[in-house]
Amino acid sequence: MSKTITTTSTPLAVAVAAALAGGLTAQHVAAADTTWAGFVENATYHRKDVGISKFRNTAQAEFETKFDSDSFRSLRLNGVLRGTYDGVYDLNDDEFGKDAQQDYLGQDWHSAGTATTTIPGPNVPILSAGVPFPCENDPTLCDNLDGYMDQKERDARFPEFNDRLDFIRELYVSADKELTNGDVLSFRLGKQQVVWGKTDLFRVLDVINPVDYSRHNIYDELEDIRIPQWMLTAEWRMGPNQVLDDSNLSLVWNFDKFRPSNLGTCGQSYKILDAGCFFSSYINVDKLVGGPYTAPVPIIHDVEEPEWSLANTQLGMKWEGVYGDATFSVNALTYRQQLPSLHFRELAPGTGAPATDGVFDIKFPRVNLLGGAIDYYSMDMDAVWRVELAYTEGEELPRDLDGHKETDMLRYVIGLDKNLVIPALGTSSAFLISGQLFGEHILDHEADMPNDEDNWIATGLFKGWYMNNRLSPQIIVAHDFAAKATAVAPSISWTPDNHWMFNLGLNVKFGGDEQFPWSVAGFADTYEPLARFTNGPIGVANQEDEIQFTIRYSF
């Protein structure tokens, strides 16, 4: 539901629109109608044996202003503003927040006795517990993390209100220019999401925007957890030719300051792979008799995020075409790795022991991607097949003994989407059946990497509609073959009118190792327990079963 407001004065928008019109002479640019829409929402989740894990209250407003212009066929200003308050840090501060506590890192999978591989003495774990919200509890760790995954509790309560202006989800000017030969040039300038690919839960080509996993791990829609960036996109729509039914070429320039994906800070209710607590912990090597250590050593010594420069911006290109029932694209992108790379720091060359002021530096290397996608509609099956492929060079993956290794990667997904009427289920509306198989191959694999050389994750969606499409049950299943971990998320959504929506769901995990060796490759004498990461994002969350209830009012 939206309403239209006649805009009489929008000086900033008119100025930007006139600039895009491109001449130094005066251009006719006048604001027309502005259309507003939005919603308010409460999402309350309850975790087994923990209590409330989310009490997220969201308000979002969206607007679009159209302009009359002599130079462009279409000139618009679009914006999406979002504000969130998560009350879980007030309602369940024993479990989450700056006072959250655990005995030691990895206690969910190791007893203290098995965590003493290199530390003599009873019940002395190798790693301390992660420090929740280190900038409120530990100045050393706060300084070392240097702005990365070191949010304060207030930042978790109000995640969009920060110095990166995350409450602005979108704010861009777009315009179309028709050329004399009938081709169309389109431009979009501002804060935005650029979507490559059509996958759910896991990404193959859709890597231009970083992702905020602290919102709800991998389970929220990508549209809600992508972190918008300031970008310029341009598209040349060439239309049909003698071979193709349609074609276009698009460029994207991400000129924003580099930003990694948010994995969640220790003390938050969602921290994918528990990485946030690992990064805010100490290794207790000071317990070693006769060693050079007089105090626990921070796991992270420094975070080296690239400073803004023209050389550190990110650039992509996509050529897309349509041939019969097939739509295809060829994609190329140079960008920064959005997940952290851990660079081990030795006490002295050849010792294999960690430095006294921090075990790892975190870096974000430059990555080059080449890939493509094909969507094919099969008339015989009345279904759409989807294939995406991405080959990257320059990625760095963690290792248990040497910190990291640079390796080329191959990722792919095969998907099938089909609408099917099933009269036996009591409705004439078609059910959506969607399946995806994600694959990952590490070209330069090492035995002490937590990722297998080859791994697959399968996802499935079964969704139906009843009561004139106002009642919609669905079930989502995801299975990680290497981790032997499965997530099952049944839910039912009811929209009694054009304003209200109610959703009740479960998120249940099965499998994932409950106990495993301290080290990935079985080595006894190691300082860095990466073995937890072999559980993957589903297995590491195998103790996070939840019941979830969401209410939304749209206007």
Side-chain angles (χ1 to χ4, degrees):
M1 188 70 176
S2 62
K3 63 180 181 178
T4 300
I5 303 172
T6 300
T7 304
T8 58
S9 177
T10 53
L12 176 60
V14 172
V16 175
L20 271 181
L24 294 178
T25 59
Q27 300 287 334
H28 172 68
V29 177
D33 291 342
T34 296
T35 302
W36 287 89
F39 64 84
V40 291
E41 177 185 273
N42 172 267
T44 301
Y45 298 173
H46 187 279
R47 186 175 299 171
K48 181 181 177 182
D49 300 326
V50 170
I52 292 177
S53 54
K54 181 184 293 293
F55 189 72
R56 186 180 68 209
N57 302 277
T58 304
Q60 180 165 306
E62 308 166 11
F63 67 89
E64 179 184 72
T65 300
K66 300 178 182 178
F67 297 91
D68 296 325
S69 170
D70 292 339
S71 301
F72 293 97
R73 186 177 66 182
S74 176
L75 183 60
R76 301 167 187 250
L77 175 68
N78 289 78
V80 177
L81 310 176
R82 186 177 78 185
T84 300
Y85 161 65
D86 193 342
V88 68
Y89 304 102
D90 298 310
L91 299 175
N92 195 2
D93 57 0
D94 289 337
E95 296 286 346
F96 308 111
K98 64 180 183 296
D99 298 323
Q101 293 294 329
Q102 57 183 353
D103 292 338
Y104 57 90
L105 198 62
Q107 68 183 62
D108 291 339
W109 303 288
H110 303 286
S111 65
T114 64
T116 60
T117 311
T118 61
I119 307 295
N123 298 322
V124 179
I126 292 177
L127 290 176
S128 68
V131 176
F133 293 95
C135 280
E136 295 188 304
N137 288 302
D138 191 323
T140 297
L141 294 179
C142 179
D143 291 341
N144 289 12
L145 289 170
D146 193 26
Y148 177 62
M149 297 197 345
D150 64 346
Q151 296 97 324
K152 293 185 177 180
E153 190 179 73
R154 180 193 176 282
D155 298 322
R157 281 194 183 92
F158 306 98
E160 286 89 6
F161 298 99
N162 51 40
D163 57 3
R164 299 298 291 265
L165 305 180
D166 282 345
F167 71 91
I168 303 176
R169 294 288 298 165
E170 292 182 358
L171 184 63
Y172 61 83
V173 173
S174 62
D176 294 340
K177 179 74 172 180
E178 187 169 356
L179 305 181
T180 55
N181 65 352
D183 292 358
V184 176
L185 287 178
S186 297
F187 304 90
R188 179 179 290 184
L189 174 63
K191 198 172 191 182
Q192 55 187 295
Q193 301 180 37
V194 176
V195 181
W196 282 3
K198 300 178 181 179
T199 58
D200 299 316
L201 296 183
F202 302 95
R203 307 186 297 165
V204 176
L205 290 174
D206 186 19
V207 295
I208 296 177
N209 292 84
V211 171
D212 181 7
Y213 291 112
S214 71
R215 185 173 170 89
H216 188 211
N217 207 316
I218 61 173
Y219 302 108
D220 273 10
E221 297 286 345
L222 283 169
E223 179 183 2
D224 293 324
I225 63 175
R226 287 191 198 93
I227 300 174
Q229 299 272 272
W230 294 97
M231 292 185 269
L232 171 66
T233 61
E235 185 176 31
W236 177 18
R237 303 175 198 163
M238 294 170 278
N241 55 36
Q242 294 179 343
V243 178
L244 300 176
D245 299 311
D246 196 9
S247 62
N248 62 72
L249 178 68
S250 60
L251 298 173
V252 55
W253 178 32
N254 182 348
F255 55 83
D256 207 344
K257 184 180 185 296
F258 169 76
R259 189 167 183 183
S261 291
N262 183 358
L263 306 184
T265 299
C266 195
Q268 287 191 266
S269 49
Y270 300 97
K271 44 190 187 299
I272 191 168
L273 292 172
D274 204 31
C277 279
F278 172 57
F279 293 161
S280 62
S281 64
Y282 288 89
I283 182 170
N284 295 317
V285 286
D286 58 314
K287 304 297 184 182
L288 289 170
V289 178
Y293 304 96
T294 59
V297 175
I299 285 294
I300 302 302
H301 165 259
D302 189 27
V303 179
E304 298 182 16
E305 286 193 33
E307 294 295 330
W308 190 93
S309 70
L310 193 60
N312 281 332
T313 59
Q314 304 170 74
L315 187 65
M317 179 176 67
K318 178 175 71 169
W319 179 55
E320 193 171 24
V322 178
Y323 182 80
D325 293 328
T327 300
F328 64 89
S329 71
V330 178
N331 305 62
L333 179 68
T334 177
Y335 67 112
R336 288 281 181 175
Q337 181 172 310
Q338 296 162 356
L339 296 179
S341 175
L342 302 175
H343 287 233
F344 182 72
R345 306 175 66 253
E346 285 189 289
L347 178 66
T351 63
T356 58
D357 56 350
V359 182
F360 297 101
D361 285 332
I362 288 179
K363 300 186 180 184
F364 300 93
R366 170 71 65 172
V367 176
N368 297 315
L369 177 150
L370 181 64
I374 298 176
D375 290 3
Y376 174 71
Y377 173 69
S378 171
M379 294 186 63
D380 294 337
M381 297 182 62
D382 189 24
V384 176
W385 287 94
R386 296 181 283 110
V387 178
E388 289 184 28
L389 179 72
Y391 183 93
T392 62
E393 62 174 9
E395 285 194 57
E396 295 178 355
L397 297 186
R399 295 184 60 184
D400 218 353
L401 299 180
D402 292 336
H404 77 285
K405 181 175 182 177
E406 181 178 324
T407 176
D408 293 354
M409 299 287 296
L410 180 67
R411 295 184 178 90
Y412 53 89
V413 62
I414 301 172
L416 175 68
D417 301 320
K418 180 175 176 59
N419 291 308
L420 181 65
V421 177
I422 309 176
L425 294 181
T427 178
S428 58
S429 298
F431 285 79
L432 172 62
I433 303 172
S434 178
Q436 301 175 121
L437 180 66
F438 295 84
E440 178 181 89
H441 175 67
I442 304 172
L443 275 75
D444 299 307
H445 187 264
E446 300 288 349
D448 60 334
M449 286 180 174
N451 300 63
D452 284 5
E453 183 176 4
D454 290 282
N455 188 31
W456 298 271
I457 296 176
T459 69
L461 166 67
F462 185 75
K463 184 177 180 65
W465 287 269
Y466 293 84
M467 298 172 55
N468 294 322
N469 298 335
R470 293 196 178 276
L471 186 69
S472 179
Q474 74 171 30
I475 183 168
I476 297 174
V477 180
H479 179 73
D480 186 327
F481 286 86
K484 299 178 182 178
T486 304
V488 180
S491 65
I492 185 167
S493 179
W494 179 43
T495 54
D497 54 37
N498 293 333
H499 296 285
W500 290 98
M501 185 279 294
F502 303 88
N503 186 275
L504 178 64
L506 296 174
N507 192 301
V508 183
K509 293 88 173 175
F510 304 94
D513 290 336
E514 295 183 3
Q515 296 286 324
F516 42 74
W518 189 254
S519 133
V520 170
F523 299 103
D525 190 13
T526 182
Y527 299 102
E528 207 290 281
L530 285 179
R532 75 182 59 225
F533 299 150
T534 63
N535 260 0
I538 298 174
V540 170
N542 59 10
Q543 298 183 32
E544 296 181 3
D545 295 349
E546 294 177 331
I547 183 170
Q548 305 165 347
F549 185 60
T550 301
I551 304 174
R552 174 180 291 195
Y553 179 82
S554 300
F555 56 88

